[in-house]
């Protein structure tokens, strides 16, 4: 099967897998991450097929929506790629991307590294910040029935992976626990540049939010 045909099949598979997904982790999230990844990849020497497959399959069965089970996503992706006779080396690399892409709180070292993972991770992180990031975050908070903001509950920096995952904190706290940390963790020059603009936009949003909370402006 040619690469364009494989990508076409992958897109259809992912759309079908994510039918009815939470609004921040649906097909449109994947589409934005895919486009971000193609954009970033233009500035890097990389294996484009691995970037494309990694971007398309990175959230195919997110553990958050499967009782924390981190094995389902890689397994679903592997079965799909094997059924399309993708070579073993490519499959192993795509699975490593899926297993290592995710932000797991402040204290998590990634064990695998490649330029293709760097690109897909930046592409995913860009979709977590800026206007889209704000929209996704409040959508997720609503999905989990969390308060928007509670001035009595401070953000927790330096969360371990398990604490980060178990957090039921107000949605505004997620800005401090994750979103505002991403700008300084970008891997690529293109990603870093785009992240800076999106970061400033979130800072402006927060300033306006607190001013309105106090009845100012
Ligand atoms: P990652 O794949 O980097 O672990 P997640 O899938 O956890 O990222 O998060 C993706 C997006 O989902 C976040 O950027 C945010 O918009 C939303 N989200 C995830 N966890 C939370 C949370 N605890 N509170 C609010 N939004 C969240
Ligand atoms: Ni994602």
């Amino acid at each position: 099967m040619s690469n364009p045909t494989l990508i076409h099949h992958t897109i259809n598979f992912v759309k079908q897998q994510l039918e009815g997904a939470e609004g921040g982790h649906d097909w449109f999230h994947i589409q934005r991450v895919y486009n971000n990844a193609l954009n970033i990849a233009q500035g890097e020497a990389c294996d484009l097929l691995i970037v494309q497959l990694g971007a398309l399959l990175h959230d195919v069965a997110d553990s958050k929506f499967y009782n924390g089970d981190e094995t389902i996503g890689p397994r679903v992706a592997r079965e799909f790629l094997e059924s399309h006779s993708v070579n073993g080396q490519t499959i192993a690399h795509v699975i490593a991307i899926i297993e290592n892409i995710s932000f797991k709180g402040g204290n998590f070292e990634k064990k695998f590294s490649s330029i293709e993972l760097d690109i897909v991770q930046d592409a995913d992180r860009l979709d977590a910040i800026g206007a889209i990031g704000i929209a996704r975050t409040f959508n997720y908070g609503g999905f989990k029935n969390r308060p928007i903001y509670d001035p009595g509950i401070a953000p927790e920096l330096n969360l371990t992976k398990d604490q980060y995952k178990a957090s039921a904190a107000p949605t505004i706290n997620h800005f401090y626990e994750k979103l505002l940390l991403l700008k300084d963790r970008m891997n690529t020059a293109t990603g870093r540049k785009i992240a800076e603009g999106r970061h400033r936009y979130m800072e402006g949003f927060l300033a306006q939010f607190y001013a309105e909370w106090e009845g100012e402006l």
Side-chain angles (χ1 to χ4, degrees):
M1 182 179 296
S2 72
N3 288 356
T5 307
L6 173 62
I7 295 304
H8 184 74
H9 280 242
T10 310
I11 288 171
N12 287 340
F13 173 71
V14 173
K15 278 184 181 168
Q16 182 195 317
Q17 279 288 316
L18 293 179
E19 197 104 7
E22 179 266 321
H25 293 84
D26 59 3
W27 160 251
F28 291 115
H29 164 62
I30 306 305
Q31 188 174 57
R32 291 188 301 268
V33 171
Y34 182 70
N35 289 333
N36 289 343
L38 292 182
N39 180 20
I40 295 169
Q42 284 180 356
E44 310 291 333
C46 64
D47 183 328
L48 195 59
L49 180 65
I50 289 178
V51 170
Q52 290 173 301
L53 292 174
L56 290 172
L57 292 166
H58 84 275
D59 273 337
V60 81
D62 190 319
S63 62
K64 276 196 287 319
F65 306 112
Y66 291 85
N67 280 325
D69 188 339
E70 293 179 6
T71 66
I72 297 181
R75 189 166 70 238
V76 168
R78 177 181 291 283
E79 282 166 10
F80 169 80
L81 294 169
E82 282 175 353
S83 74
H84 286 70
S85 307
V86 174
N87 78 63
Q89 222 180 333
T90 300
I91 295 179
H93 197 154
V94 171
I95 299 302
I97 290 175
I98 297 170
E99 288 175 341
N100 288 280
I101 187 174
S102 188
F103 181 94
K104 305 267 174 39
N107 294 323
F108 187 78
E109 289 292 320
K110 69 180 181 192
K111 296 185 196 82
F112 171 85
S113 72
S114 74
I115 183 62
E116 291 79 9
L117 169 60
D118 286 351
I119 292 167
V120 179
Q121 190 170 53
D122 275 11
D124 193 32
R125 286 175 170 175
L126 287 178
D127 207 54
I129 60 178
I132 296 274
I134 294 169
R136 293 181 69 215
T137 300
F138 284 103
N139 196 75
Y140 188 81
F143 178 77
K144 291 282 197 178
N145 199 24
R146 294 187 182 155
I148 292 171
Y149 175 48
D150 183 337
I153 305 178
E156 295 257 17
L157 299 174
N158 296 315
L159 290 175
T160 64
K161 177 180 158 185
D162 288 339
Q163 289 168 331
Y164 172 74
K165 292 193 151 193
S167 168
T171 300
I172 285 282
N173 292 21
H174 195 64
F175 285 77
Y176 302 94
E177 291 166 359
K178 174 180 174 187
L179 309 187
L180 294 169
L181 308 178
L182 294 178
K183 168 178 74 74
D184 294 327
R185 298 188 182 192
M186 300 303 287
N187 305 306
T188 66
T190 310
R192 208 169 298 120
K193 188 156 178 290
I194 301 171
E196 274 167 21
R198 295 187 184 196
H199 183 90
R200 275 195 300 277
Y201 186 88
M202 290 194 295
E203 287 180 332
F205 168 81
L206 289 170
Q208 175 83 16
F209 183 96
Y210 296 126
E212 292 181 14
W213 189 272
E214 299 300 335
E216 299 161 15
L217 295 178

